[in-house]
Amino acid sequence: MIEAVGLTKRYGDKTAVYNLSFQVRPGAVTGFLGPNGSGKSTTMRMILGLDNPTSGTVTIGGYPYRKLPNAPRHVGALLDAKAVHGGRSARNHLLSLAQLSGIPARRVDEVLGVVGLQEVAKRRSKGFSLGMGQRLGIAAALLGDPQVLLFDEPVNGLDPEGILWVRNLMRALAAEGRTVFVSSHLMSEMALTADHLIVIGRGQLLADMSVRDFISANSADFARVRTPDTEPQLREKLSAALTEAGGHVLPEQDGALRVTGLPLPRISDLAHEADVRLWELSPHQASLEEAYMRMTQGAVDYRSTIDQKTGLQQPLPPGAQPPLPVPGQGQPGWYAPPPPQAGGQPFAMPAPAGPYGGAPSGGYGAPGAGAPNPYAAPAPQAPPAQPVPQAPSVPQAPPVPQQPAAAAPAPAAEPSQSAAAAPAADPTQPEDAR
């Protein structure tokens, strides 16, 4: 068991931890939560004897860490996964730790198998990824088969399979009766792993209770009720009935009602008595993240602000409207909401369309497409039609000698000119052709 009494640590005029008292009991996974700069790492360093407290005491099994006989056989810890000589292989790193603590060499191969690094045991640790370094740090903590284990951000850099493995490992170690103390910023993981929580803020204790009690104490459960959207009078009727029965009703932006102070069966009975059809009646329990954000919102030292983009924003074009502000943004405890789940999904793939945003079509250049494809090969075209002569005086082909019968109509149209043209005929032709 780990016990801290009046633990205080100052660095000059900075108080990192102030009058902190708690117990970490065996047989359970105890989560250690708090904002950045709240003193979690400093507390863990004092537990392990790496920092001396300004005042107060912290003991492990009734003894300060430095007075434990062969401490690595009793306490295992992962505070910094990169605290490894990069030129050593994973096996040699663990082997050196084992030799310093009198641990047999065969234990090194056992823990390498436990953390899944047996295939890379002879590789230098400087080439390890962040997740592989975390696994090596966990192996070092397990090396002496200790009864007390401390982990600072053990799932940092691990993939989903590794996170699940760490979760199961923590719970298995606690089920064996060991003391497991885990610091993490992942609320969703703590909700699945921890049985008990110790929450600090600005070096002081904020909560020391079970996960269930912590959520109940820092959130309000409510029922979500929805009536037909097409009949707003039913919503007003139900709201009046619930308020009269002692419930507290708040409208939500999507038209639903948030009801507190009444159990779900009572809400259902009241709706039935008021002859109101319900489209939704569901319980809502706050998550560990919501409860944590509510408790620690006054103990956060590092807050984000709105990016003003001073001097970087381009002027709006004429007629354009500025973007609407997000409700609540910039207020304490605000964080970005998730993207919408239906309609206008910001990351959804657009529907198939023409090559330049036109209507859907069977392909570029297909009939009915909004615009032709500029890179498609041109379709074969029919040869252009021959121009039609507009006057008989423009010849279309080289002159062809005409028979005498074809020339006969011309003299018939103008007899005076044919008579004058007769002497100009070729004298070598027969007289009947003249």
Side-chain angles (χ1 to χ4, degrees), residues 41-65:
S41 297
T42 301
T43 302
M44 283 191 157
R45 290 178 61 84
M46 288 191 289
I47 293 173
L48 297 173
L50 298 175
D51 284 344
N52 292 320
T54 304
S55 62
T57 60
V58 57
T59 58
I60 301 175
Y63 296 92
Y65 181 86

Side-chain angles (χ1 to χ4, degrees), residues 23-365:
Q23 289 183 344
V24 182
R25 295 178 175 83
V29 179
T30 301
F32 195 28
L33 308 181
N36 288 331
S38 60
K40 298 189 304 299
S41 297
T42 301
T43 302
M44 283 191 157
R45 290 178 61 84
M46 288 191 289
I47 293 173
L48 297 173
L50 298 175
D51 284 344
N52 292 320
T54 304
S55 62
T57 60
V58 57
T59 58
I60 301 175
Y63 296 92
Y65 181 86
R66 294 179 180 178
K67 293 185 178 181
L68 286 173
N70 199 355
R73 301 292 296 268
H74 298 279
V75 182
L78 168 63
L79 296 188
D80 184 3
K82 294 185 178 180
V84 181
H85 192 297
R88 289 179 180 172
S89 66
R91 190 179 189 281
N92 286 342
H93 168 68
L94 296 176
L95 187 60
S96 64
L97 297 178
Q99 291 173 347
L100 289 172
S101 305
I103 299 172
R106 63 176 180 273
R107 178 61 179 166
V108 172
D109 297 319
E110 290 176 358
V111 294
L112 283 171
V114 170
V115 301
L117 294 180
Q118 63 271 29
E119 298 296 331
V120 294
K122 297 182 179 180
R123 283 180 51 184
R124 292 185 177 183
S125 60
K126 65 180 180 181
F128 281 7
S129 65
L130 180 59
M132 293 170 66
Q134 290 292 116
R135 290 176 179 266
L136 182 59
I138 294 174
L142 299 176
L143 192 60
D145 193 26
Q147 289 298 309
V148 179
L149 293 130
L150 292 85
F151 299 98
D152 191 2
E153 299 287 352
V155 299
N156 188 23
L158 292 178
D159 57 12
E161 187 276 334
I163 293 175
L164 176 61
W165 166 71
V166 169
R167 184 195 311 158
N168 293 334
L169 174 66
M170 301 294 171
R171 300 195 66 85
L173 292 171
E176 295 173 359
R178 306 175 195 258
T179 302
V180 183
F181 195 38
V182 185
S183 171
S184 178
H185 290 292
L186 299 179
M187 297 298 108
S188 59
E189 199 55 38
M190 281 290 95
L192 297 173
T193 306
D195 305 299
H196 196 86
L197 293 178
I198 295 174
V199 184
I200 64 174
R202 293 177 177 170
Q204 301 183 54
L205 183 67
L206 299 180
D208 185 356
M209 59 186 69
S210 68
V211 175
R212 183 184 298 274
D213 292 342
F214 179 81
I215 295 175
S216 299
N218 294 282
S219 63
D221 298 342
F222 64 90
R224 180 178 169 86
V225 184
R226 181 186 293 275
T227 58
D229 296 337
T230 56
E231 302 176 77
Q233 69 277 6
L234 295 181
R235 181 168 61 248
E236 301 298 331
K237 184 178 180 181
L238 178 62
S239 179
L242 295 175
T243 303
E244 184 178 354
H248 184 61
V249 182
L250 290 175
E252 295 193 337
Q253 294 183 354
D254 60 353
L257 299 176
R258 176 182 294 202
V259 184
T260 56
L262 293 174
L264 260 67
R266 180 59 175 159
I267 296 174
S268 177
D269 292 341
L270 291 172
H272 179 73
E273 293 171 3
D275 196 22
V276 175
R277 292 184 295 115
L278 298 181
W279 279 7
E280 179 183 353
L281 177 58
S282 59
H284 178 87
Q285 183 181 24
S287 65
L288 175 59
E289 180 181 12
E290 293 172 330
Y292 170 82
M293 295 293 292
R294 183 172 182 176
M295 164 166 275
T296 61
Q297 62 181 349
V300 177
D301 291 326
Y302 308 102
R303 295 186 185 276
S304 61
T305 60
I306 301 176
D307 189 357
Q308 302 293 340
K309 300 183 179 67
T310 304
L312 300 177
Q313 292 181 336
Q314 299 295 329
L316 294 174
Q321 297 293 331
L324 297 176
V326 178
Q329 186 172 3
Q331 300 297 323
W334 182 91
Y335 50 96
Q341 298 298 321
Q345 297 186 9
F347 305 110
M349 294 299 293
Y356 297 105
S361 63
Y364 290 120

